Amino acid sequence: KSHYQVVIAGGGTGGLTVAAQLMDQPNPPEVALIEPSTVHYYQPLWTLVGGGVFPREQSARPEADYIPPGVTWIKEAVKAFDPDANSLTLSNGETITYDYLVVALGIQIDWGKIKGLPETLGKNGVCSNYSYDTVEYTWQNIRTFRGGNAVFTHPSTPIKCGGAPQKIVYLADDYFRRSGARQQSKLNFYHAGTAIFAVKKYADALNRVVARKGIDVHYQHDLIEVRGEAREAVFMNLATKETVTVHFDMLHVTPPMSAPDVIKSSKLAHTTGWVEVDKHTLQHVRYPNVFSLGDCSNLPTSKTGAAIRKQAPVLVANLMAAMANETLPATYDGYTSCPLVTGYGSLILAEFDYTNQPKESFPFDQSQERYSMYALKAYGLPAMYWNGMLRGRM
Ligand code: FAD
């Protein structure tokens, strides 16, 4: 079979959530989901895996367990999109056609854009929470650190979970205090941007955390090269265009990211490479039978699973309406959330929308560090994800 009413490209957070919600409709459409991976990862856990709180296996479950009954799983990758012909090509060469398409391919990690990084990642103290393969090495580095210069980076490109690059700095600081390494250590956070966080209320709180912990933050510094054996990180000072070489004893890299190449090279892309959708309806601006959500879309909000939780019901309501030739009823306001772990047992829960104004769920000031919010992140949200969101229940 090569034609489906609805094709979902990508079975990650966005694709699985949309599939589950579509199958919950009174008259569900015929849906195929294209996803090559046999494992699905709850990536938000990787911050705590890198901090040694959970083993990495706890973030992984079989993809098959989360494909809703009734959905056809095509275990291939999309190789090319042809939206003018309502079709796409798979990595095995087959062509699939659709009436409606949902694009949810996530974000591409561009390790190779940093000179020397692929060769040294996973050794010489160079680690990253941004993949299942490298996240355990973060914890190994933190656990065995006996002093010296611990360096952390935040790139100049859009990334998923804008807070993750700094969460691991705070966990490392906390662990070094417990292990006795903190006094002999310097923590340096090189951030390509100009502020610690986009929303002022949380930025103010985080600046206080950084000052209290004695972390040195260097803005407008973008990692361009890693010399693993020499243990040197080379940064571009984006203000002066000078390069700065820094010795490290451990280096946590948040790599540059971009839209998946298969989207960049297709007619679905905006000039920035992301799928070009209306920021309120999630419908493609040129192809009305195409919708997109999550990290691969050009929705101008912070790329998180929490954002997808609010995007998915809007997408599904609008897709069902489009299929019935009705006007699109639902609107997404840019809601996103970032649980900013500030130590083992403390967390600032940032929640905001397109206006960059706080949009908090709890009846207290969420910019204060709290144990209750840490417990929510470590124990509550994973259960809500696996049992609720991916099952189409919230
Ligand atoms: P993904 O879930 O990444 O799924 C994309 C899917 O597309 C994958 O399954 C992939 O295999 C598939 N795919 C890729 N290419 C193709 C292709 N060519 N053809 C077919 N399929 C393809 N979010 C939060 O809300 N809170 C947090 O605290 C948080 N912390 C994070 C910490 C870290 C370290 C990381 C890495 C992420 C974190 N996130 C957090 C972000 C969150 O995980 C992502 O925003 C979310 O998973 C994005 O969902 P998605 O569906 O867009 O992409």
Side-chain angles (χ1 to χ4, degrees):
K1 186 168 159 57
S2 64
H3 182 88
Y4 297 87
Q5 232 180 332
V6 177
V7 166
I8 302 174
T13 304
L16 287 175
T17 305
V18 166
Q21 292 187 8
L22 280 174
M23 296 322 277
D24 268 356
Q25 298 298 308
N27 292 304
E30 174 200 38
V31 178
L33 181 112
I34 306 174
E35 168 62 61
S37 175
T38 55
V39 183
H40 176 66
Y41 301 101
Y42 178 59
Q43 302 168 44
L45 205 72
W46 293 348
T47 293
L48 296 177
V49 175
V53 181
F54 296 113
R56 68 174 183 167
E57 288 73 19
Q58 209 152 317
S59 70
R61 296 207 184 167
E63 177 83 16
D65 293 356
Y66 289 88
I67 309 259
V71 169
T72 304
W73 179 12
I74 301 173
K75 232 184 262 180
E76 297 287 335
V78 178
K79 209 173 66 184
F81 290 102
D82 185 359
D84 291 319
N86 296 320
S87 83
L88 50 83
T89 315
L90 302 174
S91 40
N92 64 4
E94 278 175 30
T95 297
I96 302 285
T97 56
Y98 54 80
D99 298 333
Y100 291 85
L101 173 68
V102 177
V103 187
L105 294 187
I107 200 166
Q108 175 173 297
I109 304 235
D110 297 322
W111 304 104
K113 285 201 182 145
I114 307 243
K115 192 176 167 201
L117 177 60
E119 297 88 317
T120 193
L121 187 63
K123 49 183 198 249
N124 301 314
V126 183
C127 57
S128 179
N129 283 356
Y130 272 84
S131 105
Y132 188 72
D133 297 330
T134 57
V135 63
E136 283 191 312
Y137 190 55
T138 302
W139 172 230
Q140 192 182 318
N141 276 290
I142 290 175
R143 189 169 48 81
T144 59
F145 200 74
R146 296 287 170 265
N149 194 18
V151 172
F152 302 82
T153 74
H154 184 130
S156 57
T157 65
I159 59 171
K160 52 182 157 188
C161 195
Q166 59 188 282
K167 297 175 197 176
I168 193 64
V169 191
Y170 306 142
L171 287 176
D173 166 80
D174 195 350
Y175 190 80
F176 297 164
R177 285 173 198 275
R178 291 162 199 245
S179 71
R182 186 63 181 91
Q183 278 194 328
Q184 312 82 265
S185 306
K186 283 199 158 53
L187 274 75
N188 282 290
F189 182 34
Y190 290 86
H191 192 314
T194 53
I196 195 101
F197 205 76
V199 180
K200 187 172 182 307
K201 174 176 177 178
Y202 306 117
D204 290 347
L206 291 165
N207 282 326
R208 286 192 292 271
V209 170
V210 160
R212 182 184 81 227
K213 288 175 174 285
I215 293 160
D216 291 317
V217 187
H218 312 264
Y219 290 110
Q220 292 190 282
H221 279 70
D222 198 16
L223 182 69
I224 55 170
E225 182 179 350
V226 182
R227 299 177 195 136
E229 277 175 26
R231 299 213 173 211
E232 286 175 346
V234 184
F235 294 90
M236 168 73 76
N237 180 326
L238 299 175
T240 64
K241 302 290 172 213
E242 284 162 4
T243 59
V244 183
T245 302
V246 177
H247 169 82
F248 63 82
D249 295 286
M250 76 162 268
L251 172 67
H252 179 272
V253 178
T254 299
M257 302 176 206
S258 65
D261 288 341
V262 63
I263 294 174
K264 279 188 207 123
S265 61
S266 80
K267 289 187 171 173
L268 296 173
H270 178 258
T271 50
T272 50
W274 313 103
V275 183
E276 188 174 9
V277 292
D278 179 273
K279 72 176 193 177
H280 295 299
T281 65
L282 280 50
Q283 184 182 41
H284 199 280
V285 298
R286 281 168 278 115
Y287 299 99
N289 65 332
V290 177
F291 290 78
S292 179
L293 81 170
D295 295 354
C296 71
S297 71
N298 75 331
L299 296 169
T301 192
S302 173
K303 297 179 184 299
T304 65
I308 291 173
R309 190 163 75 83
K310 298 290 185 182
Q311 291 163 11
V314 172
L315 187 153
V316 168
N318 288 343
L319 173 58
M320 293 306 292
M323 293 177 83
N325 283 317
E326 291 163 6
T327 50
L328 308 190
T331 293
Y332 172 61
D333 65 3
Y335 171 90
T336 190
S337 157
C338 191
L340 291 146
V341 178
T342 57
Y344 295 94
S346 62
L347 187 142
I348 289 171
L349 184 60
E351 290 183 286
F352 52 100
D353 61 15
Y354 283 142
T355 64
N356 268 355
Q357 293 304 313
K359 204 170 185 249
E360 301 189 345
S361 301
F362 294 94
F364 48 68
D365 178 1
Q366 291 178 204
S367 71
Q368 279 180 19
E369 298 172 72
R370 286 173 199 275
Y371 175 77
S372 59
M373 295 295 97
Y374 176 87
L376 178 74
K377 154 107 191 144
Y379 310 108
L381 293 176
M384 280 164 66
Y385 183 76
W386 295 114
N387 306 328
M389 184 168 159
L390 290 193
R391 301 295 187 198
R393 290 201 197 104
M394 53 197 311

